Amino acid sequence: MAGVIAEPPLSRTRTDRAADARVRPDLVPSLLTDAATRVLLVHAGAVVTRDGGQGGQELALLDPGEAALLSPGGKLPEGWAFLGHDDAPGGGRGTAYLARLVPDVASAVLVPGDRWSPLREVGGQLSARDAGLATAAVALEAWHVRHPRCPRCGEVTVSHSAGWVRRCTADGSDHYPRTDPAVIMAVVDGRDRLLLGHSAHWPENRFSTLAGFVEPGESVESAIRREVLEEVGVTVGGVEYRGSQPWPFPASLMLGFRARALSEDITVDGEEVTQARWFERTELRAAVRSGSVLLPSSTSIARMLIEEWYGSELPDAI
Ligand SMILES: [Zn+2]
């Protein structure tokens, strides 16, 4: 295997996060007085988009006046997050981007033609800049919604540092957005066959690579071996890192690997995985074409790991 897999859709970005600017207490208020600032609306894993070039979607980026009109409320500092800025031509800081964390879809009025689009569906259609902005916004919004209270004392927290910290109103402790590492692995045996599994809560015929969360105090290599052994009873030897993708639904970072199987017999756990089997390339291609295997979406790193093993893109069912 030469190099790592191509950049997954939600790993793309063009924006300088400018983390050093977040500590300025006046950062968001001052950007909201600048007509050049652009605002994207985010709620529950979705962003507002409109038709863009080549039949895809692009972010519906509003100026601060439009954002205040269409999504009123949002008393500072709650409800806003600073996402970064473009690099200006010739150097320096260009257009700044804010996320408006919309509390509920009904509270926002959209421009005709604009729509709420789930990031996991449109991520692959967005430009690199839009994908990076939308992924950060979705991750931050999910974290704010789930962490209204202090994990130390239970009191209310408030947004701080331009949306990148929540501070406890009672004990002053700071709490940061969390990211949960998860491993996802293309397990390949000595005959170069790929192991794919089906989970009970997936649509019928959906098969994908195995995956699972890294547990506290565990290395990613150990997590891979544990998950594969638990879910299908296969022993894994060497593992090779292939690439990563943020998966903010709500807080995962998917770490993609190729894993070498040392055994072939499959025993599914019946809970996480209810079916699993080895595929040769011709078998998988035929199964996908006939619809007896439905692969994960092209936004997922799972699809990229599968296609890397296969050697090219795989068709969808015909
Ligand atoms: Zn507290």
Side-chain angles (χ1 to χ4, degrees):
M1 289 181 286
V4 296
I5 55 175
E7 199 169 38
L10 303 187
S11 296
R12 298 170 302 146
T13 182
R14 291 287 182 275
T15 306
D16 179 348
R17 292 186 170 215
D20 59 318
R22 295 172 192 160
V23 295
R24 282 176 43 200
D26 67 334
L27 177 66
V28 174
S30 69
L31 289 174
L32 285 172
T33 65
D34 182 350
T37 298
R38 288 295 173 266
V39 179
L40 68 97
L41 306 183
V42 56
H43 172 76
V47 288
V48 175
T49 67
R50 56 183 59 147
D51 290 341
Q54 289 151 12
Q57 294 288 297
E58 63 183 26
L59 285 180
L61 292 168
L62 311 173
D63 66 41
E66 288 176 308
L69 197 66
L70 300 174
S71 179
K75 192 159 129 318
L76 288 165
E78 294 297 324
W80 294 90
F82 171 64
L83 300 176
H85 60 79
D86 289 336
D87 291 328
R93 294 185 166 175
T95 303
Y97 299 96
L98 296 176
R100 167 81 179 103
L101 317 180
V102 177
D104 62 274
V105 168
S107 71
V109 181
L110 301 189
V111 172
D114 290 0
R115 71 195 69 126
W116 285 103
S117 297
L119 177 62
R120 59 201 305 167
E121 291 176 17
V122 298
Q125 301 175 30
L126 299 176
S127 69
R129 181 202 66 177
D130 285 4
L133 290 171
T135 304
V138 163
L140 277 174
E141 198 259 356
W143 171 69
H144 280 283
V145 166
R146 286 168 175 77
H147 296 83
R149 289 187 174 271
C150 175
R152 286 166 52 159
C153 75
E155 278 302 325
V156 170
T157 57
V158 290
S159 183
H160 198 268
S161 299
W164 289 85
V165 172
R166 292 198 71 82
R167 180 166 289 175
C168 177
T169 52
D171 62 27
S173 59
D174 285 342
H175 305 278
Y176 298 88
R178 58 179 290 172
T179 296
D180 300 330
V183 288
I184 182 161
M185 40 278 174
V187 180
V188 176
D189 74 0
R191 290 190 269 165
D192 208 22
R193 297 180 302 174
L194 177 67
L195 179 68
L196 296 179
H198 171 79
S199 184
H201 62 270
W202 289 351
E204 195 178 354
N205 294 343
R206 162 67 50 77
F207 278 81
S208 187
T209 50
L210 303 185
F213 285 107
V214 181
E215 294 189 338
E218 186 177 46
S219 71
V220 291
E221 293 86 348
S222 296
I224 292 165
R225 297 190 178 101
R226 176 182 53 76
E227 286 286 347
V228 176
L229 191 62
E230 283 175 3
E231 294 185 347
V232 297
V234 169
T235 305
V236 161
V239 301
E240 184 178 355
Y241 176 67
R242 306 307 300 149
S244 72
Q245 171 160 255
W247 199 245
F249 314 108
S252 298
L253 174 65
M254 307 303 296
L255 305 164
F257 288 82
R258 177 78 65 93
R260 176 64 63 184
L262 300 179
S263 64
E264 294 183 3
D265 290 345
I266 291 172
T267 309
V268 296
D269 66 6
E271 293 178 13
E272 291 285 320
V273 174
T274 51
Q275 298 174 58
R277 53 179 283 212
W278 295 104
F279 289 89
E280 294 180 351
R281 288 178 180 76
T282 50
E283 266 182 305
L284 183 61
R285 182 177 180 83
V288 168
R289 281 199 170 271
S290 72
S292 63
V293 164
L294 299 176
L295 294 178
S297 89
S298 54
T299 311
S300 67
I301 194 169
R303 180 69 170 249
M304 303 187 77
L305 290 168
I306 292 167
E307 291 183 340
E308 187 197 37
W309 164 82
Y310 182 74
S312 68
E313 288 186 10
L314 274 157
D316 287 311
I318 52 171

